[in-house]
Every structure is written in structure tokens, then in C-alpha cells.
Amino acid sequence: MIPTITAFACSPDRGRGLARDMRVRWALEEAGWPYEVRLVSFKETKETGHLALHPFGQIPTYEDGDLVLFETGSIVLHIAEQTPVLLPRAAKPRARAITWMFAALNTVEPPILDYANARILESDNAWGEARLPLVIDRVRARLYQLSAHLAEADWLDGAFSAGDLMMVSVLLRLRASGLLDEYPNLAAYIARGESRPAYRRAFAAQLKVFTEGAESRTSAT
Ligand code: GTB
């Protein structure tokens, strides 16, 4: 069966590849699997049909026959387990690659999300302004550590893996902040990820959703 994922019909990132379906699309492209996308509105994600797939009412979801998954970590791992492009076959390198997936999601992404929330949701408050430097320091601490680990290597642990796919996806959210420019090896690492043909195909596909949606929104007015 061809798997189906969900994505926003009108993504708040305006096709910049920052919504969570992008990392799943990228994994599917690396695996070379065809896939279908069901576009949903924000409202639909809170309705019964979608909640049956995703208890927290978010995108993306993943359906393949009677298998339904949510959470990008789980979805990408499921895909990666079936292709050596994303997970080495040997047990120890495979465990290390999975470790990096968890590190991306559990150690690096939380301060980045906290930063995004602080800038977008909390900046109108005096306490939000006061808190921002602390939040940025926490992001910088993780970037410093990650940069030290990566050093001159191309990828985090040997060959490119799902760990890199997840880490690059997480770091991209910081692009507009300028913080990545302080760590040239991380900026180059992200550029390596983005230059992968699978990344480019995934990016083009999600951008097309936004541009075609924008065209039809314009022609409807
Ligand atoms: N932990 C979940 C996962 O990894 O799958 C998180 C999924 C998630 O947050 N999905 C978002 C969602 O459905 C879509 S990507 N939110 C609705 C809700 O929680 O009610 C969100 C997104 C939008 C815009 C940017 N951006 O512009 O940078 C980044 C991410």
C-alpha cells in the first residue's frame, strides 16, 4: 500500500519547510517510497475524524493499511527501519543513529521551541522580554555542544542517517534567528542536509502545496 500522510492545506510557515510534515516527506523521499498527502485545515485537526488518528490533534499523521502513526519521531523511525539509507543495518551504528534522533527531539528541539514560543507568543509581555535572553542562552548552549561534537565531520555519527535528518530538521527552525551563523560548521551541516536530492524533492512538494493554495485563494477573491 502507498502510505498517506497529513499536512496543513495552508501551513503557517508559508512553505518554508518548517512544518512537521517536512521531515516525514524527507524520510519518505530518502527511502524512495511513493506517498500520498491528505491536506487538512487547522479546524479539521481538532475534529473527530482526525483525532481518531492523532489524539493531540496535530499533523502529521501516517497511515499505511491498518497501521496509523503520529509523532514525527515515531514515523521517521518506522520509515528508517526499512531502509539502510536512513539506518545502518549493523546493530551498534543503528543504535547510535537512533540515539541522535532522540537527541534531536528531546535535547535540541525543546529549547528551540521554547525560543520560538518566547518570540511569537510571549514577546508582548514584559516578563517575556525579560526571559528572552535566558531562552537564547539555552539554545546557544546546545548549539555550542552540538558544534563541538560535529567538529569537521560531515554527519553526526559516520554516514548520513535518520539522526541527521531529524537534527537538520530541528535546527532549520533557527535559520531566521541568525544564531546558526555563530557556528559555521552547523550552518555547513544544515546546508549539506538541504542539498540532498531527497530533501529538495520533499521541500518542493510542500512548497507546491502552499503556492497552489495561494493561487486558488487569490483566484477565489
Ligand atoms: N511532537 C509532534 C511531532 O513531532 O509530530 C509535534 C507536531 C506539531 O507540533 N505539529 C504542528 C501542529 O499540528 C504542525 S507543525 N500544530 C497544531 C496544534 O498543535 O494544535 C507547526 C509549525 C508551524 C510553523 C512553523 N514555523 O513557521 O516555523 C513551524 C512548525
Side-chain angles (χ1 to χ4, degrees):
M1 285 203 77
I2 296 183
T4 299
I5 65 168
T6 50
F8 281 137
C10 184
S11 183
D13 80 326
R14 305 174 64 82
R16 286 180 298 147
L18 300 176
R20 299 295 206 297
D21 56 295
M22 176 61 201
R23 52 186 78 166
V24 173
R25 290 173 183 268
W26 185 7
L28 287 161
E29 291 288 351
E30 292 284 357
W33 295 1
Y35 63 98
E36 287 172 0
V37 182
R38 191 170 61 252
L39 299 176
V40 292
S41 65
F42 185 82
K43 182 169 169 281
E44 282 168 328
T45 61
K46 312 304 173 213
E47 292 171 354
T48 318
H50 189 81
L51 288 172
L53 306 176
H54 196 313
F56 305 112
Q58 298 180 319
I59 62 97
T61 56
Y62 174 99
E63 294 157 78
D64 189 2
D66 61 1
L67 175 67
V68 178
L69 299 175
F70 58 93
E71 284 296 329
T72 53
S74 159
I75 299 169
V76 170
L77 180 59
H78 173 72
I79 298 162
E81 278 176 330
Q82 299 171 67
T83 172
V85 178
L86 289 172
L87 278 184
R89 295 243 185 266
K92 287 180 185 172
R94 190 178 184 89
R96 292 278 303 169
I98 294 170
T99 297
W100 279 110
M101 287 183 68
F102 277 87
L105 294 171
N106 287 352
T107 303
V108 178
E109 190 166 49
I112 292 176
L113 291 183
D114 198 19
Y115 173 61
N117 288 335
R119 294 217 38 215
I120 298 163
L121 305 176
E122 299 165 4
S123 60
D124 286 348
N125 304 307
W127 57 264
E129 278 292 307
R131 187 172 168 267
L132 196 55
L134 295 172
V135 174
I136 293 174
D137 278 353
R138 285 190 205 118
V139 174
R140 276 210 179 94
R142 288 297 180 236
L143 295 182
Y144 175 83
Q145 292 165 319
L146 190 64
S147 169
H149 169 84
L150 184 67
E152 299 306 314
D154 279 355
W155 305 113
L156 290 169
D157 208 297
F160 173 82
S161 78
D164 296 295
L165 182 152
M166 203 54 92
M167 191 65 81
V168 168
S169 301
V170 160
L171 293 174
L172 273 166
R173 184 96 182 240
L174 283 176
R175 170 161 284 153
S177 73
L179 288 169
L180 292 167
D181 302 336
E182 298 171 20
Y183 305 91
N185 68 337
L186 292 185
Y189 170 65
I190 293 166
R192 268 191 295 282
E194 289 177 301
S195 70
R196 291 180 70 82
Y199 178 93
R200 290 180 187 209
R201 288 193 297 273
F203 186 91
Q206 61 80 43
L207 180 59
K208 192 162 172 243
V209 171
F210 183 77
T211 51
E212 286 184 353
E215 278 162 22
S216 67
R217 283 189 293 277
T218 309
S219 62
T221 55

